[in-house]
Amino acid sequence: MVLSKVNTVLGTVPAEELGLVAVHEHIGYGMPGSELDTKWWKTPEQAYDETVPKLRAFHENGGGTFVDATGICNGRDIDYYKSLSRKTGVHIVACTGFVGGDTALPHFARAGVEYLAEVFVHEITVGIGDTGSKAGVIKVGVSRGGRMTELDKRIYRAAARAAVKTGVPILTHLAIDPQPAIDIFTEERLPLDRVLFGHADDGLNASSTPSEWIMGQGGRIGFDTFGYETELPDPPFWARPRKERMDHFLTLVEKGYLDQLLVSADANCSPLGWPGVKGHTVNYIFETLIPDLRDGGIDDAQLKRIFEDNPADFLSIKN
Ligand SMILES: [Zn+2]
């Protein structure tokens, strides 16, 4: 494993300094356009009040790095992330790219592969607008419906080209219908260990996601919706029984896939345009997930690989 550097919103840091990483989270996530619906407006103070205590607790629990997987058009706000990072001491990695073709607004949805790749490369190598912050990961995803659309494929191809050019990895929303994605990555000569195929563990998609087939070809798999469980008071439609998800994860570890697995909680510090899922935060990692993993027989060395070594290797800029 060769580690290098990682782009955070406050600058480039050696991957060894990331500490414990939550690899797929959200500072604030909402559907495009929700910012125009006055019903959901929050003052900056309200957003800070909802977010800072969660990030402070994350830091106090031993969290080092928070990867914000909120794409362009879904509420990404880099200057805000910078101030949160300064305030809490948590490294925040921002992404370029889109949650899925169905959240790309018309300006981007109509753009060709070349244009989109240029946007991604610029945000990774020059910076995101005038913030001075560079994106550390590229987000792509499968649109609702479960099949990759023509636009999804265009975004995946642009992301692959940007990843090859910059060495920054790709993180996906959903790992269903992975064949077209893998074809595109292969055609663009992107090694599959540069891709984290996410949301392979949720209640809606786990059964139709061929995780072992993806890992067999070198891809990484995200068990990154830990905590969205049917035990919640008001569980979302993608919830899954807590034990069922853990058993699934432990089975993959037993089969030898530990180094290809990444975990996170996909929680939303301060939801935009929707109420969010009550009772679920990034700190599920410390409060429930790590104790559950220990109960399942995962030792300290394995925990370090899951939460530190694997994400450091994944997030390292490789070129
Ligand atoms: Zn997410």
Side-chain angles (χ1 to χ4, degrees):
M1 182 182 316
V2 183
L3 298 183
S4 68
K5 296 194 169 176
V6 177
N7 288 338
T8 78
V9 293
L10 293 184
T12 300
V13 303
E16 292 85 351
E17 289 176 17
L18 297 179
L20 181 145
V21 179
V23 80
H24 183 132
E25 300 297 327
H26 298 277
I27 298 289
Y29 173 90
M31 290 303 278
S34 65
E35 71 277 11
L36 304 176
D37 184 346
T38 54
K39 174 179 189 278
W40 297 102
W41 281 4
K42 284 177 192 173
T43 64
E45 289 76 15
Q46 281 173 299
Y48 269 101
D49 284 351
E50 287 179 339
T51 305
V52 169
K54 290 169 189 162
L55 292 180
R56 285 221 168 105
F58 178 74
H59 195 54
E60 280 157 18
N61 282 323
T65 301
F66 183 108
V67 179
D68 179 83
T70 306
I72 301 168
C73 307
N74 287 93
R76 190 183 64 161
D77 184 345
I78 304 301
D79 282 326
Y80 174 47
Y81 299 175
K82 284 163 71 178
S83 75
L84 288 169
S85 181
R86 283 201 191 95
K87 226 176 169 64
T88 63
V90 174
H91 292 302
I92 297 176
V93 176
C95 69
T96 185
F98 304 92
V99 168
D102 57 357
T103 70
L105 288 169
H107 173 80
F108 298 105
R110 284 194 287 260
V113 172
E114 286 304 315
Y115 182 92
L116 293 169
E118 234 173 75
V119 170
F120 302 159
V121 169
H122 184 90
E123 291 201 344
I124 294 162
T125 59
V126 180
I128 301 170
D130 60 359
T131 63
S133 305
K134 296 173 180 174
V137 61
I138 308 166
K139 181 79 180 279
V140 300
V142 182
S143 293
R144 277 144 202 83
R147 287 265 163 245
M148 285 187 72
T149 63
E150 184 278 329
L151 174 55
D152 294 339
K153 291 176 190 168
R154 217 184 314 143
I155 294 169
Y156 272 65
R157 190 173 296 283
R161 288 186 188 167
V164 166
K165 191 158 184 181
T166 64
V168 154
I170 293 176
L171 192 155
T172 82
H173 165 79
L174 299 183
I176 46 172
D177 196 21
Q179 182 73 63
I182 287 179
D183 289 347
I184 289 167
F185 295 142
T186 306
E187 283 162 24
E188 298 295 333
R189 298 179 192 279
L190 179 71
L192 287 183
D193 68 347
R194 302 312 291 144
V195 184
L196 165 55
F197 294 83
H199 301 346
D201 62 325
D202 75 37
L204 200 63
N205 298 294
S207 60
S208 48
T209 298
S211 292
E212 291 186 62
W213 179 78
I214 292 170
M215 289 191 286
Q217 297 175 79
R220 298 176 193 255
I221 282 291
F223 268 60
D224 46 17
T225 64
F226 268 110
Y228 286 114
E229 50 204 25
T230 50
E231 288 84 347
L232 283 167
D234 188 14
F237 64 84
W238 63 93
R240 190 176 183 195
R242 179 169 155 195
K243 185 176 183 307
E244 183 186 301
R245 186 196 315 258
M246 181 53 70
D247 288 347
H248 183 191
F249 182 77
L250 294 172
T251 302
L252 294 176
V253 172
E254 267 163 38
K255 288 184 176 176
Y257 293 113
L258 181 68
D259 290 341
Q260 286 165 275
L261 292 167
L262 290 140
V263 309
S264 210
D266 194 23
N268 210 332
C269 292
S270 177
L272 308 171
W274 65 305
V277 175
K278 295 266 173 295
H280 181 53
T281 77
V282 63
N283 292 301
Y284 180 93
I285 290 173
F286 303 99
E287 291 155 3
T288 308
L289 176 56
I290 291 177
D292 279 357
L293 287 168
R294 285 191 202 280
D295 287 347
I298 299 294
D299 65 23
D300 284 348
Q302 289 172 310
L303 284 176
K304 184 172 176 297
R305 275 157 78 183
I306 293 167
F307 288 102
E308 296 181 35
D309 302 342
N310 292 352
D313 183 44
F314 171 64
L315 292 169
S316 279
I317 297 172
K318 298 202 175 159
N319 47 11

